[in-house]
Amino acid sequence: MTTLLGHRPLVQEAAALRSGADDPVDAVRRTCDRIDAVDPQVRAFVPEDGRRTRLLEAARELAAAGPPDPAGRPALYGVPVGIKDIVRVDGLPTRAGSALPPEALAGAQAVVVDRLRAAGALVAGKTVTAEFAVTAPGPTRNPHHPAHTPGGSSSGSAAAVAAGMVPLAIGTQTVGSMIRPAAFCGVVGFKPTYGRIPLDGVIPNALSFDTLGWYATDVAGVALAASVLLDGWRGGRGGPGRPEPDPRPGRASRPVLGVPVGPYLERAGEEARRAFKEQRGLLGAAGYEVREVPVMADFDAVVEQLFTMNRYEVARAHADWFARFGDRYREQTTAAIRQGQAIGDAAYEAARTRRAAFRAELAAASAGAGIDLWLAPAATGPAPADLTTTGTSIMCLPWSNAGLPSLSLPAGRAADGLPLGLQLIAAEGADEALLDAATGIERVLNGADGEGASGH
């Protein structure tokens, strides 16, 4: 994977800071220098007067208060992190990509930020979000080509990691807001099982789907953050719980992968489907068993069910703010709220019932086929050359609907040189197993276990 890195990958950055080989103050200076150099073009961060002064003070306080013995330093000691601007951070305003007054959106610091700070992380700043994490895009550009969207709604977080401004950034996903930007920007994006991280302190979009997630440049970095952020983490410190078995003859088999054939997979564009076929071939050659599983024959009904619930919940989440500040909302967000206002309680409850049935059917299909992970394109293709849209979330929709943990890996490039992503999805609660498996699949895609996903 070609990167625009200024930072080392998260695991190396964190290890250097914990060991004392690096210093939080120096890390802050590098971060601010990189933001100053790159962000005027990428626009991943919400502008902040005095960012360098604030961060230097925080780094000096951390160094002064931290244990002198490196063995006692927490997992993310001194690591600068970007925080999506629907996540509240003490000392920084929350605007949620909107024109609403920040004081109207203020509240207690998010639990996820509490956990990051307890682990020694430093908040590099707020990252740009689509307005209220819906669809109206912010100013962020794709670091690989500034005329292309970075995706959304976690646009700034994905772009900040891809452009090397921070080694870790927090985002959220309601439908496709973590996975799609990861694919478009060429980084690893992880959306845990719904409910494994408290949403306290996060501006809601649709509470039946909203899930915190994060970006890093590799699976090891995602796993390190998971060890700090996930409720009930069952892996070792700084990574998945166990190494993945070797698939070569005489060794234990790797997870069985399932391809969800049918109307869902047909939503991917030609370039995404061609790359997906190549990726399947690489994994098969590396010893993975890949099974085709017919699912979601009624995919259009699944889409309608999700958006019935989503729009209903968006309208209720914004009832007070929209009544007070409706004239300040952007057109796309206003349209989503108006759609939700027109959906009645009976239609919403019917959609909830249909979602429960969909989840059960998907789990039964997975179990019946004997698969461990679903495999799918992370997006319908490379990032569109259109800054008025964040792209379509359709390839993420069923997995978000089911609340399943998912991860996007960089997987080759499109004809125009933009990144493509491969999406891995595990069973509910199997986040650790997903990260274990992703480590091996990442090696295959990077060519460590074969030719690699070269793209075009």
Side-chain angles (χ1 to χ4, degrees):
M1 180 181 71
T2 301
T3 63
L4 306 175
L5 280 179
H7 271 280
R8 292 166 290 208
L10 176 58
V11 170
Q12 289 90 323
E13 185 83 7
L17 286 160
R18 284 198 311 270
S19 70
D22 201 354
D23 175 80
V25 173
D26 290 337
V28 159
R29 290 195 180 103
R30 286 197 308 274
T31 297
C32 292
D33 287 348
R34 183 69 177 172
I35 291 173
D36 289 348
V38 174
D39 208 44
Q41 292 76 44
V42 177
R43 302 176 73 181
F45 278 93
V46 176
E48 178 193 345
D49 293 335
R51 183 193 313 274
R52 185 181 295 264
T53 299
R54 174 184 64 79
L55 269 171
L56 284 172
E57 182 179 349
R60 292 183 181 114
E61 289 177 0
L62 179 71
D69 179 5
R73 290 174 180 161
L76 300 179
Y77 177 81
V79 172
V81 181
I83 308 290
K84 184 177 181 177
D85 194 26
I86 62 166
V87 180
R88 296 187 181 105
V89 176
D90 286 350
L92 294 175
T94 298
R95 294 186 173 87
S98 76
L100 272 65
E103 54 270 21
L105 305 177
Q109 177 167 278
V111 168
V112 68
V113 180
D114 292 339
R115 292 180 181 182
L116 286 166
R117 284 181 157 164
L122 300 172
V123 175
K126 291 296 198 75
T127 53
V128 170
T129 176
E131 185 182 49
F132 289 113
V134 185
T135 57
T140 307
R141 273 49 176 163
N142 192 307
H144 297 271
H145 196 307
H148 291 250
T149 178
S153 61
S154 302
S155 48
S157 292
V161 171
M165 289 183 267
V166 286
L168 175 66
I170 301 298
T172 64
Q173 178 155 308
T174 303
V175 184
S177 297
M178 284 291 310
I179 298 300
R180 183 171 76 261
F184 286 175
C185 292
V187 294
V188 179
F190 175 55
K191 183 203 82 72
T193 296
Y194 173 78
R196 275 202 76 174
I197 303 179
L199 286 168
D200 306 61
V202 179
I203 303 283
N205 180 329
L207 284 172
S208 291
F209 308 97
D210 294 347
T211 306
L212 284 154
W214 50 93
Y215 298 101
T217 57
D218 55 24
V219 175
V222 164
L224 173 59
S227 71
V228 167
L229 298 176
L230 284 185
D231 282 346
W233 171 251
R234 298 182 298 275
R237 170 176 168 166
R242 59 191 184 283
E244 192 192 38
D246 192 307
R248 287 169 290 192
R251 311 291 181 92
S253 63
R254 285 182 173 176
V256 177
L257 308 176
V259 174
V261 296
Y264 157 74
L265 200 57
E266 292 163 7
R267 293 292 190 99
E270 181 182 347
E271 199 156 27
R273 290 199 302 269
R274 186 166 59 244
F276 185 56
K277 181 178 180 181
E278 177 188 352
Q279 293 148 13
R280 288 177 57 181
L282 287 170
L283 291 166
Y288 288 85
E289 182 177 357
V290 183
R291 299 177 182 172
E292 293 192 346
V293 186
V295 286
M296 297 183 270
D298 57 348
F299 186 59
D300 286 344
V302 175
V303 174
E304 187 272 333
Q305 167 260 303
L306 178 136
F307 278 105
T308 295
M309 291 183 63
N310 178 293
R311 294 304 188 237
Y312 177 97
E313 293 185 4
V314 167
R316 274 68 188 173
H318 285 267
D320 178 61
W321 291 321
F322 194 68
R324 295 161 60 199
F325 306 109
D327 60 337
R328 303 192 191 190
Y329 280 69
R330 292 173 64 183
E331 180 182 355
Q332 298 98 316
T333 316
T334 295
I337 291 170
R338 294 291 190 204
Q339 290 165 10
Q341 289 172 337
I343 296 169
D345 295 348
Y348 173 72
E349 290 302 328
R352 283 172 54 89
T353 300
R354 285 156 52 205
R355 181 177 70 158
F358 168 74
R359 287 180 165 183
E361 290 166 6
L362 194 60
S366 177
I371 65 167
D372 300 299
L373 298 177
W374 293 102
L375 199 65
T380 55
D386 185 353
L387 296 173
T388 68
T389 177
T390 60
T392 173
S393 60
I394 200 72
M395 303 314 295
C396 308
L397 184 147
W399 321 114
S400 294
N401 196 34
L404 303 180
S406 56
L407 182 139
S408 178
L409 291 172
R413 290 181 178 268
D416 57 8
L418 287 165
L420 296 167
L422 178 65
Q423 186 175 195
L424 313 177
I425 306 99
E428 183 178 2
D431 304 67
E432 291 84 356
L434 173 59
L435 294 173
D436 283 339
T439 300
I441 293 171
E442 179 183 51
R443 287 198 302 268
V444 174
L445 297 179
N446 287 342
D449 288 3
E451 293 300 316
S454 58
H456 295 271

